[in-house]
Amino acid sequence: MTPVWAPVPNLNLELKKLNCSPDSFRCTLTNIPQTQALLNKAKLPLGLLLHPFRDLTQLPVITSNTIVRCRSCRTYINPFVSFIDQRRWKCNLCYRVNDVPEEFMYNPLTRSYGEPHKRPEVQNSTVEFIASSDYMLRPPQPAVYLFVLDVSHNAVEAGYLTILCQSLLENLDKLPGDSRTRIGFMTFDSTVHFYNLQEGLSQPQMLIVSDIDDVFLPTPDSLLVNLFESKELIKDLLDALPNMFTSTRETHSALGPALQAAFKLMSPTGGRVSVFQTQLPSLGAGLLQSREDPNQRSSTKVVQHLGPATDFYKKLALDCSGQQTAVDLFLLSSQYSDLASLACMSKYSAGCIYYYPSFHCTHNPSQAEKLQKDLKRYLTRKIGFEAVMRIRCTKGLSMHTFHGNFFVRSTDLLSLANINPDAGFAVQLSIEESLTDTSLVCFQTALLYTSSKGERRIRVHTLCLPVVSSLADVYAGVDVQAAICLLANMAVDRSVSSSLSDARDALVNAVVDSLSAYGSTVSNLQHSALIAPSSLKLFPLYVLALLKQKAFRTGTSTRLDDRVYAMCQIKSQPLVHLMKMIHPNLYRIDRLTDEGAIHVNDRVVPQPPLQKLSAEKLTREGAFLMDCGSVFYIWIGKGCDNNFIEDVLGYPNFASIPQKMTHLPELDTLSSERARSFITWLRDSRPLSPVLHVVKDESPAKAEFFQHLIEDRTEAAFSYYEFLLHVQQQICK
Ligand SMILES: [Zn+2]
């Protein structure tokens, strides 16, 4: 297998150089069909995949007083506009001719006058503007962080508080913000507890509110405090919290009332609420009942309860969104907790969702370590507050369905109380008016946000694509990874609004219809062989992978919360991470060499070739690494060379490798160095720390690993070969 790269749109060299990076902005079709009729003929999905706030090493920041925008459609000036003369530019989205403002005539980079086309805004398709007060409805808010913590018996037993408080203590000075940063804490079991952290107190003061039907804020002004003025009190509280509830007998969880209180507390400023929950909420507003029937986990028929049981969490999220507050959920549960309902608090408030099934701080050390590493990223990564994102496209194109965590405020405006660098979005497009008069179309996203330093900023990405009139060109330009990610998003919606089996059928039909349509353009004869354009060669494999994904699989035992979480990930991850989840990368690692290795920060990183996801590739003499995005597996064959086992795993032979192993020891051998260097390099490329499992062949844990070998047949699903036959039969019908 060869690695798959984003296709480069077929533009002239100059435009290619200026175009937006596919890491930020991708379209399912890099050749845009001229008409909706042509798109319909191709039977392919049209849409954009966005990663608008990703971490960038290079970002031109523009501080000029005048932000130049089209007077008619408000598009930001970009590399794809045309200058009619020195004084006028033509908008590439609506074609209006605009004046070039006087200030724009001066180029701050070259310090010369009369070169508007050389300004950084016109030389870079990704830029960030520092905005003036015109872009503010109110003075920029400070960074405000509220932590809402489950301290019921179940939570204390799971032991997450120690990890969280430790992580907060370590990262308190690295929380994004400035001298105005505010922080607060609430805990809850059957009652809701507040903490007065007002500067001047000798120790934190706990205030218990037991009327959960009408929660009030006991001392509203001293619950969210300035991080710097109250730092000692905050540290005292974080030191004390893990031991405060150790003898609790409270088994109930009044999550809903705690969230209502959090909303009240955050309303005046907005900011981020981080909720830690370990069980089904059982008291007060928003209480939930178990809806999972464990006997139905392997059902091949109907999968129920993929949607919320109550609209409480959605309503709360919309209220929060209206007050510029996002709610992030950390679900650390050992049993069913109805994530389908709980997730709504984050989905509609532009929050994010983290899930640690079977979490226990000592019994499940790999999950505990994952939480610790995830928290480090979560607490210290960039954050934008009170954000809105607008996507504009060339006249004739229109957007109709958005995917991600947000609230749609108007047809093309997404309300994002918070934005983080790990959030991905997708949007479906249609062609409303024919594009015959133009050879290029453009898409522009503008993300307006308040930085943690209180600056109003606008990050703008502009993507340019050619328009084509022939079906062959449409097929030639398919970005198969973007297409599969968009289809996955659509399948999640369909699973919830209709049914899982409808969603699965739609995925299969997407392959059958597009390949059938392609076949009929190539020849009128009935082909006995399945034919696909090279751009779509991997399409059937990726769809099969989706059908075997936790979110959409049937016939294989899948916990309801696990399935729902996979759906949440599909809807909110950027393409690069989602692809690894759909189609993991498999490498042989017992024979790593420096051949083709790359050099990163004085480290030599081996680059082993990708392997097909099939057991036939796994020789018993080898060791293989599978990268599934958020989890790594190292499979050790029974006949694996003892030298490798000793040099890399630190055990004398296969038999002595323990059943549970989640770390590679740091051994002073060349093979150990190469293996660790490769794994570290993979790890560093993603925001959340993947868990590592060493899996011995013939151990019970190997089922987890083998389920990702999607080219192979399972009891419940086709092999790749069988799936291709099935597709072919459907086409010939
Ligand atoms: Zn315009």
Side-chain angles (χ1 to χ4, degrees):
M1 285 202 70
T2 46
V4 183
W5 306 107
V8 180
N10 184 20
L11 299 164
N12 70 41
L13 201 60
E14 182 66 11
L15 293 179
K16 261 184 200 165
K17 265 194 271 172
L18 291 170
N19 217 355
C20 192
S21 160
D23 295 336
S24 301
F25 214 152
R26 270 164 91 160
C27 186
T28 57
L29 303 178
T30 61
N31 289 329
I32 298 292
Q34 211 169 47
T35 61
Q36 181 69 34
L38 185 60
L39 174 63
N40 292 346
K41 258 191 214 163
K43 305 274 183 195
L44 291 164
L46 178 59
L48 302 169
L49 282 293
L50 308 165
H51 190 182
F53 201 54
R54 72 188 179 95
D55 290 325
L56 293 169
T57 45
Q58 240 198 335
L59 174 66
V61 176
I62 293 155
T63 52
S64 66
N65 293 326
T66 326
I67 296 176
V68 181
R69 301 174 66 177
C70 172
R71 283 183 62 192
S72 168
C73 74
R74 308 301 291 148
T75 289
Y76 294 80
I77 198 165
N78 60 74
F80 311 105
V81 304
S82 43
F83 284 92
I84 292 170
D85 52 44
Q86 282 227 337
R87 291 288 172 180
R88 289 178 304 161
W89 64 278
K90 189 171 170 187
C91 175
N92 52 330
L93 269 66
C94 75
Y95 310 121
R96 180 190 166 113
V97 175
N98 293 276
D99 293 337
V100 175
E102 184 58 31
E103 195 194 339
F104 206 74
M105 295 301 289
Y106 177 73
N107 184 355
L109 285 188
T110 57
R111 295 187 180 176
S112 54
Y113 191 82
E115 295 181 327
H117 58 285
K118 287 191 179 163
R119 293 262 312 190
E121 297 93 320
V122 190
Q123 288 296 318
N124 297 281
S125 53
T126 292
V127 292
E128 192 156 280
F129 296 97
I130 311 263
S132 64
S133 54
D134 299 349
Y135 291 83
M136 301 169 197
L137 295 171
R138 57 175 188 176
Q141 68 161 84
V144 181
Y145 304 111
L146 175 65
F147 294 85
V148 179
L149 312 174
D150 179 354
V151 292
S152 64
H153 177 76
N154 195 56
V156 171
E157 170 58 27
Y160 82 89
L161 269 176
T162 314
I163 297 173
L164 172 65
C165 292
Q166 191 55 41
S167 188
L168 269 165
L169 281 167
E170 281 164 17
N171 294 298
L172 213 49
D173 295 328
K174 297 182 202 139
L175 290 179
D178 57 15
S179 60
R180 304 177 303 156
T181 302
R182 291 161 78 178
I183 192 167
F185 297 87
M186 287 169 49
T187 54
F188 64 96
D189 40 39
S190 63
T191 58
V192 180
H193 327 135
F194 299 87
Y195 297 87
N196 182 344
L197 297 167
Q198 193 61 266
E199 186 196 6
L201 287 174
S202 59
Q203 57 177 21
Q205 221 174 51
M206 183 178 177
L207 306 152
I208 299 176
V209 172
S210 31
D211 182 4
I212 57 164
D213 293 326
D214 183 20
V215 189
F216 65 95
L217 303 178
T219 54
D221 298 331
S222 49
L223 302 176
L224 278 174
V225 294
N226 183 288
L227 176 59
F228 300 96
E229 289 163 6
S230 298
K231 191 170 273 175
E232 289 314 308
L233 284 173
I234 293 164
K235 284 183 177 170
D236 288 347
L237 178 63
L238 290 172
D239 279 329
L241 261 180
N243 300 316
M244 278 169 64
F245 302 92
T246 40
S247 54
T248 184
R249 291 181 176 191
E250 286 287 358
T251 54
H252 278 297
S253 166
L255 172 65
L259 288 173
Q260 288 172 327
F263 165 68
K264 281 186 192 170
L265 191 51
M266 295 296 281
S267 285
T269 50
R272 181 176 78 190
V273 177
S274 312
V275 177
F276 288 73
Q277 174 73 5
T278 68
Q279 59 175 323
L280 271 174
S282 58
L283 275 185
L287 70 87
L288 297 168
Q289 262 115 32
S290 179
R291 296 189 290 163
E292 184 183 36
D293 176 359
N295 298 319
Q296 294 295 311
R297 280 181 193 155
S298 333
S299 166
T300 52
K301 298 187 187 78
V302 185
V303 176
Q304 285 181 305
H305 308 308
L306 294 171
T310 161
D311 62 1
F312 173 83
Y313 295 96
K314 178 176 180 178
K315 278 187 171 160
L316 182 108
L318 295 181
D319 288 345
C320 284
S321 172
Q323 300 299 324
Q324 303 297 352
T325 302
V327 185
D328 295 343
L329 170 66
F330 287 78
L331 181 61
L332 312 118
S333 61
S334 47
Q335 68 254 316
Y336 174 74
S337 303
D338 197 353
L339 184 58
S341 298
L342 295 180
C344 293
M345 71 172 90
S346 307
K347 271 186 199 170
Y348 299 99
S349 69
C352 35
I353 300 155
Y354 299 89
Y355 174 52
Y356 304 84
S358 318
F359 181 87
H360 194 280
C361 67
T362 50
H363 301 164
N364 194 343
S366 63
Q367 285 286 33
E369 190 191 331
K370 180 167 169 52
L371 174 64
Q372 188 188 15
K373 289 190 172 161
D374 289 355
L375 279 172
K376 185 171 183 220
R377 164 77 183 167
Y378 174 76
L379 294 171
T380 59
R381 72 185 176 190
K382 240 173 104 90
I383 182 169
F385 296 98
E386 46 188 357
V388 286
M389 183 164 74
R390 195 186 292 273
I391 306 169
R392 295 181 171 87
C393 42
T394 295
K395 193 167 163 284
L397 292 164
S398 79
M399 289 162 288
H400 59 89
T401 307
F402 294 91
H403 303 275
N405 292 350
F406 52 75
F407 169 61
V408 188
R409 199 182 287 171
S410 64
T411 48
D412 60 349
L413 187 70
L414 305 185
S415 179
L416 303 163
N418 288 179
I419 178 75
N420 74 72
D422 305 327
F425 301 87
V427 54
Q428 291 167 243
L429 298 167
S430 55
I431 304 165
E432 297 221 311
E433 293 165 42
S434 110
L435 302 164
T436 36
D437 295 337
T438 178
S439 59
L440 299 173
V441 291
C442 287
F443 305 92
Q444 186 175 75
T445 66
L447 177 71
L448 172 64
Y449 70 98
T450 298
S451 79
S452 54
K453 306 269 183 233
E455 267 176 338
R456 206 67 178 140
R457 288 173 166 243
I458 310 154
R459 187 173 295 187
V460 178
H461 304 281
T462 313
L463 175 70
C464 177
L465 296 174
V467 175
V468 297
S469 57
S470 84
L471 207 48
D473 286 338
V474 175
Y475 282 115
V478 182
D479 180 337
V480 68
Q481 294 193 326
I484 204 73
C485 288
L486 185 66
L487 285 171
N489 274 285
M490 291 159 66
V492 170
D493 284 3
R494 199 162 190 142
S495 302
V496 179
S497 66
S498 177
S499 71
L500 191 64
S501 58
D502 277 0
R504 288 171 55 88
D505 288 348
L507 286 170
V508 176
N509 289 340
V511 178
V512 171
D513 293 348
S514 59
L515 294 190
S516 165
Y518 176 75
S520 60
T521 66
V522 178
S523 157
N524 293 324
L525 298 170
Q526 281 282 334
H527 277 270
S528 55
L530 194 60
I531 45 168
S534 64
S535 65
L536 281 176
K537 280 271 184 318
L538 291 169
F539 195 33
L541 179 64
Y542 287 161
V543 165
L544 178 65
L546 273 184
L547 296 172
K548 294 185 174 187
Q549 229 290 322
K550 257 186 198 161
F552 305 117
R553 71 188 182 188
T554 53
T556 305
S557 183
T558 310
R559 287 161 167 266
L560 189 51
D561 278 346
D562 290 2
R563 186 189 294 280
V564 169
Y565 182 60
M567 291 184 171
C568 293
Q569 285 182 297
I570 289 172
K571 292 280 281 187
S572 62
Q573 282 194 336
L575 181 145
V576 55
H577 305 309
L578 183 51
M579 269 321 295
K580 290 203 187 71
M581 186 179 144
I582 295 172
H583 188 273
N585 290 334
L586 182 68
Y587 310 92
R588 183 165 182 175
I589 57 159
D590 59 315
R591 292 173 178 178
L592 294 176
T593 66
D594 287 347
E595 197 189 315
I598 55 170
H599 294 256
V600 183
N601 306 331
D602 297 337
R603 233 177 35 221
V604 181
V605 183
Q607 299 290 299
L610 278 173
Q611 308 285 337
K612 281 203 321 181
L613 290 172
S614 167
E616 76 182 36
K617 288 286 155 196
L618 302 176
T619 68
R620 292 177 60 218
E621 286 73 39
F624 290 80
L625 172 75
M626 187 189 279
D627 173 4
C628 306
S630 57
V631 52
F632 288 168
Y633 297 98
I634 294 180
W635 179 86
I636 310 288
K638 210 173 172 218
C640 184
D641 187 13
N642 281 346
N643 287 332
F644 175 82
I645 295 176
E646 191 165 0
D647 288 354
V648 176
L649 304 181
Y651 291 93
N653 51 43
F654 182 82
S656 56
I657 304 171
Q659 292 291 355
K660 267 193 181 171
M661 186 173 177
T662 56
H663 274 108
L664 290 189
E666 281 189 31
L667 301 175
D668 196 14
T669 65
L670 188 59
S671 342
S672 168
E673 217 165 88
R674 281 179 176 151
R676 283 182 292 113
S677 166
F678 181 54
I679 291 170
T680 307
W681 176 73
L682 291 174
R683 270 200 172 135
D684 287 350
S685 69
R686 65 207 70 199
L688 297 181
S689 170
V691 183
L692 174 78
H693 295 287
V694 176
V695 179
K696 285 168 78 171
D697 192 21
E698 293 175 358
S699 88
K702 79 169 190 181
E704 276 281 309
F705 172 81
F706 274 79
Q707 72 181 8
H708 294 290
L709 297 173
I710 49 172
E711 298 204 17
D712 296 341
R713 190 170 189 283
T714 65
E715 261 178 59
F718 285 139
S719 70
Y720 183 33
Y721 177 71
E722 289 167 331
F723 184 64
L724 289 174
L725 284 181
H726 174 73
V727 169
Q728 191 188 348
Q729 280 163 5
Q730 296 295 309
I731 290 175
C732 294
K733 256 209 301 214

